[in-house]
Amino acid sequence: MAYDFDLFVIGAGSGGVRAARFAAGFGARVAVAESRYLGGTCVNVGCVPKKLLVYGAHYAEDLGQAQGYGWTIDGATFDWKTLIANKDREIQRLNGIYRSILLDSGVTLLQAHARLVDAHTVEVAGKHYSAEHILIATGGWPHVPEIPGCEHATTSNEAFYLEALPRRVLVVGGGYIAVEFASIFHGCGADTKLLYRGELFLRGFDGSLRDHLKDEMIKKGVDLQFNADIARIDRQADDSLLATLADGRTLEADCIFYATGRRPMLDNLGLAEVGIELDKRGYISVDDEYRASVPSILAIGDVIGRVQLTPVALAEGMAVARRLFKPEQYRKVDYTTIPTAVFSLPNMATVGLTEEQAREQGHKVRVYESRFRPMKLTMTDSLERSLMKLVVDAETDRVLGCHMAGPDAGEIMQGLAVALKAGATKQVFDETLGIHPTAAEEFVTMRTPAAI
């Protein structure tokens, strides 16, 4: 059968764009449909604008620390509207780049909602297009619990476009987004409280880092309230919000920001009509080669609920493009040893196994830790400390995990991820010369195990 396209991609986020442009580069006829914004969550309401706001929030600390280096900065003020306007301009620039990437690759771009009609047909704006393969890469969407007054909650979709910095903010959640936005709001000057229903935020990260970040955020003035959850939200006469907690307490705020998880964005895609099966969590079920229950339909990224990180979606998109149109270059995505960072203040980054995971998997471990005051802060009043940690297999000497909380943690961890991917041992770390004076050299100078 002759099709209009070899590959039709629904969703122009990181994974969809990567699959589309490389498939086109391999000679395939490709179309992409996107109903919202080019670049997906990451570029528009995710990692890119979030990190720009983190930079903005961190300047408050930089200005305060500058005095220790002889700088007198009088009359410094912060303007939220300027930050947001400049962020918007940068995102618009990136939207244009994504458009150019697709069009320059020969991809047909359809900026409208797409819906499956059958195993090889997609409907866009009332018109049908046939394709040998259809790829769903529509990403995720913030999830807010259905409590009374949940319509008053703000999510990451709206937070990037707030017209003014709220004076009082309640951040609800305990994952990446909650911790990062608590740092952003607090750093920009808002009275910030973080509420999490569990014992400690960032479940799944190394316990030492979680405790360390908790202590550092408290030192900075963020009000952390664990074992706390909101039962209802009410709008008050002065337009402020009143949160009633499950324990009966009430808290007033001007913004209640929810970061309590994300769901796959599968609305009105026609999945049920075509026979696409979902797993028990509501994500699209796929095999090892990203084929759904209808083999001509594939899915990648947040909609399959594996590792919900932009670089993972990129790798999955590349894998699909290669398998379909350049099989001699195809290789499966390796989901082990994936580095990641939390752009809180201070930053946190990790790669490999946590100490808890290593022990649960039966490894006999040696743990190395270094806690210190960053050199940049030694001539300031800042009490912030950094933490670096190595988890080592005591029998093979292989480094199983690297973890850090401190300035530029993500930048430092990227290089260490290469070492772990290559199977580096602690001896290799020990024999690697450090760059002095840097924080990063701590990773190759830790000699005495902290725990066995």
Side-chain angles (χ1 to χ4, degrees), residues 329-362:
Q329 293 183 7
Y330 171 67
R331 54 183 178 274
K332 290 187 176 181
V333 177
D334 183 358
Y335 290 95
T336 63
T337 322
I338 296 173
T340 189
V342 181
F343 293 107
S344 49
L345 295 176
N347 291 180
M348 200 172 90
T350 183
V351 62
L353 300 181
T354 66
E355 179 182 350
E356 295 81 3
Q357 289 170 337
R359 294 188 189 281
E360 288 171 3
Q361 292 182 19

Side-chain angles (χ1 to χ4, degrees), residues 235-240:
R235 176 78 68 181
Q236 302 190 101
D238 63 356
D239 212 32
S240 65

